[in-house]
Amino acid sequence: MNVSDAVSGGREAVLKALLIANAAKYDECDSLRDAKALSLEIRDTVRELAEFEVADESGKPLTGIDELRLRREARAKERKSG
C-alpha cells in the first residue's frame, strides 16, 4: 500500500506505509547523507508505531516504566504457575 492510499486508513496505516516506503528507499540509497536521513526517519516511524502496539486499557501509549512493570508482573505470574 502506498502512502496516499493509506491516508484513509488512519495514522497507523500511514505510518506503516511510510515505514515500507522509507525502508525501500534506504535499501537502494547510494548516498551516505541520504541513508542517514532515511535511517532517522525509519527509527522515528518505528518508535511511533510502537505506540499502537503497546497501549493500556485506556488506549494511551505506555511509558517505559509501564512496560517494565508489565514485564515484571508477567514474570511473577510465570513463576507462580510454573
Side-chain angles (χ1 to χ4, degrees), residues 36-80:
K36 182 176 180 178
L38 284 167
S39 69
L40 292 174
E41 285 294 322
I42 290 168
R43 285 178 28 197
D44 288 343
T45 305
V46 168
R47 192 174 295 120
E48 286 186 60
L49 278 169
E51 293 176 7
F52 289 98
E53 296 170 5
V54 181
D56 64 10
E57 298 80 35
S58 70
K60 290 184 191 175
L62 297 177
T63 65
I65 293 172
D66 293 331
E67 291 177 35
L68 180 61
R69 178 183 48 80
L70 290 173
R71 282 187 294 215
R72 285 182 178 168
E73 289 172 0
R75 274 191 246 136
K77 285 181 185 178
E78 287 177 12
R79 287 185 198 130
K80 288 180 183 178

Side-chain angles (χ1 to χ4, degrees), residues 2 6 27-28 30 42 62 74:
N2 64 38
D27 289 341
E28 296 182 10
D30 292 329
I42 290 168
L62 297 177

